[in-house]
Amino acid sequence: LAEGAALARLAGLYAHRGRTDEAEAASRRALELLSALPASRELGHAQVVQATLRVRARDNAEAVRWGRRALATAERFGDAELAVRAHCRIAAGQLLLDVPEAEAHLAAARRLVVEAGLRRVMALPYLTSASVAVERFRFARAREALDEGLATCREHDLDSNALYLRALSALTDVFPGDWRAATAAADDIL
């Protein structure tokens, strides 16, 4: 159990550092080890890491499938933070596939973070929505999600999450060519 959990965490760290091959290998091994044991929160974490990797690889149908597995595991164990992460991975895959159900997953994630007081992942539903909207060149939707996310960060004093959202806000201004707004947002971060 401990080895599988450590490999899932390692896969997530590799992914955040752009080391995709190592992330994929660690994730596969974690799932192999944890799937051979009784279901656990650790398996749910490994499943959500795999969903994250699938979103990043734009294997969106698989991202949704792994996200649903993680959500079922989270619900089985009453793990609200894991459920939030799973809802956001499902939503990301579905948004990229133009599946309307994605908004219900984002709403469920937003509701869960408030109900369970999950400060650590409070901005994740907004970040998910905004980052996919930017990628899809849906800047009005991105701006809406960013504004809501930044308001949430201000309300709950989430400075590190706000920095990421503000950086994405600058990017949102760059794409349509609003250089003044992008420069102002970037200067605000620095």
Side-chain angles (χ1 to χ4, degrees), residues 68 71 86-88 90-91 94 101-110:
R68 285 186 175 142
L71 182 57
H87 276 299
C88 287
I90 294 167
Q94 289 179 334
E101 184 183 325
E103 293 300 328
H105 284 286
L106 290 170
R110 287 190 299 270

Side-chain angles (χ1 to χ4, degrees), residues 123-139:
L124 187 57
Y126 304 103
L127 179 59
T128 300
S129 180
S131 61
V132 172
V134 168
E135 183 174 331
R136 305 288 308 273
F137 300 102
R138 295 178 178 163
F139 301 114

Side-chain angles (χ1 to χ4, degrees), residues 114-183:
V114 171
E115 288 173 0
L118 299 171
R119 288 177 44 88
R120 203 163 79 134
V121 293
M122 199 159 275
L124 187 57
Y126 304 103
L127 179 59
T128 300
S129 180
S131 61
V132 172
V134 168
E135 183 174 331
R136 305 288 308 273
F137 300 102
R138 295 178 178 163
F139 301 114
R141 177 64 190 120
R143 179 58 53 210
E144 181 182 306
L146 288 165
D147 290 346
E148 290 172 10
L150 286 166
T152 298
C153 288
R154 279 190 299 278
E155 180 182 342
H156 297 281
D157 202 24
L158 304 170
D159 293 338
S160 63
N161 289 310
L163 280 174
Y164 196 91
L165 287 167
R166 287 181 5 226
L168 189 54
S169 180
L171 186 61
T172 301
D173 295 327
V174 165
F175 278 117
D178 190 347
W179 301 110
R180 286 186 187 167
T183 301

